Amino acid sequence: MPVEKAATGSARAQLIADTALALLAERGMRGLTHRAVDEAAGLPLGSTSNQARTRLALLEAAVRRLAHRESEVLGVPGLPGPAAGREALAEAVALALHRSLTGQRALLIARYELALEATRRPELRRIYDSAGRVFREPLTLLMAANGSPDPERHALSLVAWCEGMMFSRVAGSFHTEAPDPAQLRAGVGELLRGMLDG
């Protein structure tokens, strides 16, 4: 895990959250402590506690940072406009998945750790679900623009397919290799045709 020195204020908060995500991926939920973050980030002991006083606060910071980083990786702001059509949507989703699978494996593992923890902590669940809306809402609009008679249900199916692909390729039985963009595009295209043409 790369360690770098942090500045004060928001740069330190970001370093702490990024280090928490790295620790979650490397050591799991049990390995995430305030002291471990301080040590891994190269910060004076007590720095993480000053930023996030409780374990819940540290987890919340990690979820917020996760949502920000995933938004950048998955290119949510760069999704095609409603008029771009189904092929553009399939291409955008395939490329986003490929970027995530080939360059952000640790981030995905951290997400799975946080998702499971959110099932046990209602306070964390609210933040996790709120972060997820950033991804679901644009896809719902795109499904409607592409002729879906039930955009919310179809957006859920698309998200579930993507989630399943990421889990299978990172932590499941297909983890040994990442599919190429063409394979992902074909899979997304098949899903869209099945939902929208059936």
Side-chain angles (χ1 to χ4, degrees):
M1 172 183 353
V3 174
E4 56 185 90
K5 296 294 180 186
T8 57
S10 62
R12 178 169 287 195
Q14 182 174 308
L15 175 63
I16 286 169
D18 282 334
T19 304
L21 291 171
L23 284 169
L24 285 168
E26 182 183 302
R27 304 178 190 176
M29 196 58 67
R30 288 185 180 182
L32 179 65
T33 65
H34 287 74
R35 183 183 187 94
V37 172
D38 288 339
E39 291 173 354
L43 294 170
L45 289 181
S47 298
T48 299
S49 292
N50 287 337
Q51 188 71 42
R53 296 209 174 274
T54 65
R55 182 170 178 78
L56 178 60
L58 182 57
L59 291 170
E60 289 173 353
V63 169
R64 288 190 178 97
R65 182 66 179 150
L66 174 74
H68 175 78
R69 287 179 58 187
E70 284 195 329
S71 178
E72 291 178 337
V73 172
L74 297 174
V76 172
L79 282 173
R86 191 185 304 175
E87 293 302 317
L89 175 58
E91 177 75 14
V93 171
L95 290 177
L97 280 173
H98 190 259
R99 280 193 304 271
S100 190
L101 288 168
T102 56
Q104 300 297 326
R105 185 175 185 277
L107 198 61
L108 286 170
I109 293 170
R111 172 146 63 98
Y112 300 140
E113 291 283 346
L114 289 165
L116 288 172
E117 188 68 11
T119 66
R120 304 175 195 104
R121 290 178 177 259
E123 308 93 333
L124 192 61
R125 176 90 268 161
R126 284 191 291 275
I127 294 168
Y128 191 91
D129 289 349
S130 176
R133 278 193 287 279
V134 171
F135 302 96
R136 287 194 312 270
E137 289 172 358
L139 288 177
T140 301
L141 294 173
L142 284 168
M143 295 307 291
N146 280 281
S148 169
D150 193 345
E152 286 191 16
R153 182 170 61 82
H154 286 153
L156 171 61
S157 293
L158 180 56
V159 168
W161 186 89
C162 292
E163 292 276 4
M165 179 62 70
M166 289 187 291
F167 184 86
S168 294
R169 294 295 186 159
V170 169
S173 57
F174 291 89
H175 68 91
T176 54
E177 60 181 286
D180 64 37
Q183 292 172 312
L184 291 167
R185 190 165 44 253
V188 177
E190 289 167 355
L191 179 67
L192 292 175
R193 284 192 298 278
M195 291 190 296
L196 301 176
D197 295 341

